[in-house]
Amino acid sequence: MTTRQRPSTSLLGTTALLFEPPGEMNLGTQQRIWALAHEAGAWPEIREAVPGMNNLMLTFLRPPRGLEALEALEARLADAWDAAVARPREGRVVELPVVYGGAGGPHLSDVMAHTGLSIERIVELHSAPLYPVYALGSHPGYCYLGGMDARIATPRRKVPVLSIPGGAVSIGGAQTGVSASPGPSGWNTIGSTSMCFFDPAQDPPAALQPGDMIRFRVEGIVR
């Protein structure tokens, strides 16, 4: 008899909890996380429910007092997860012009070496999907994306780069993303785009939200 995997929970200090469902990361699972966030965010003891990549962070207005209260909350979350139905979000489709390679894509050659594919094939495979925004995180405005072709998956760099510019388009493992601001990164930067992803003067300040979709349009390839 197969034992059903159960979600895991872990405390983040005394003010928050991280909920992680079992199974693979995919859009259906992420849509159930969005549904759970919608429900749990309305519970009286919860301050905020923040979806992440294949997880949900809950911050407390009233933290559970003692082991019994914590176990009751964990059981409530597990039951809510079992009952959760995928909650699609009707977002926008945003097209990002990307220049692949050159100074803005210094690690494209590393992706070529790992995959054995040509520049043209990597660009073709990277720009073909319509990428759903799963979650925001890492830094303000950064979008975690799903849907990258497994043929261009490339391990993260053994030695992180101290600073990449905002708009850097990168591959890290089985995911791709676009840096919203300058900062360190362990991903492989393959191109760049000029879009601004975060502006504190705007409402909301993040240009994209979970449920939006990104399409990379090939603006050029620099060898």
Side-chain angles (χ1 to χ4, degrees):
M1 184 176 65
T2 302
T3 302
R4 185 177 62 174
Q5 289 182 293
R6 298 294 292 171
S8 67
T9 56
S10 53
L11 287 173
L12 303 176
T14 59
T15 60
L17 177 146
L18 187 68
F19 173 89
E20 297 177 275
E24 296 182 357
M25 179 181 66
N26 55 50
L27 183 57
T29 298
Q30 194 68 22
Q31 289 175 337
R32 288 181 67 195
I33 288 172
W34 295 343
L36 181 60
H38 180 76
E39 177 178 346
W43 294 353
E45 70 270 35
I46 301 302
R47 180 188 301 276
E48 189 176 17
V50 183
M53 283 294 289
N54 213 40
N55 60 55
L56 176 67
M57 183 182 73
L58 302 176
T59 62
F60 300 124
L61 282 170
R62 298 194 301 273
R65 300 284 184 179
L67 181 59
E68 185 175 336
L70 177 60
E71 290 177 342
L73 176 61
E74 291 173 336
R76 188 179 180 192
L77 277 168
D79 290 343
W81 173 252
D82 288 341
V85 177
R87 180 184 176 93
R89 293 184 176 182
E90 296 296 330
R92 300 172 299 144
V93 176
V94 177
E95 188 175 87
L96 300 184
V98 178
V99 175
Y100 290 89
H107 307 138
L108 184 54
S109 59
D110 295 328
V111 177
M112 292 173 60
H114 177 77
T115 62
L117 300 173
S118 67
I119 291 179
E120 290 78 11
R121 185 60 171 152
I122 290 169
V123 171
E124 177 186 5
L125 293 173
H126 186 264
S127 60
L130 191 60
Y131 293 94
V133 177
Y134 277 20
L136 302 183
S138 177
H139 58 273
Y142 182 81
C143 301
Y144 287 102
L145 306 177
M148 191 182 77
D149 194 300
R151 287 171 288 183
I152 56 174
T154 303
R156 299 185 185 193
R157 306 187 66 78
K158 292 181 180 179
V159 179
V161 177
L162 292 180
S163 183
I164 61 173
V169 179
S170 303
I171 290 174
Q175 292 179 254
T176 188
V178 187
S179 179
S181 60
S185 174
W187 290 29
N188 302 281
T189 301
I190 63 171
S192 62
T193 183
S194 59
M195 178 174 171
C196 176
F197 289 86
F198 186 81
D199 182 351
Q202 299 297 316
D203 185 19
L208 297 173
Q209 299 294 323
D212 288 339
M213 311 282 281
I214 287 179
R215 186 181 298 283
F216 296 114
R217 174 172 57 81
V218 182
E219 190 172 48
I221 301 175
V222 180
R223 292 170 176 79

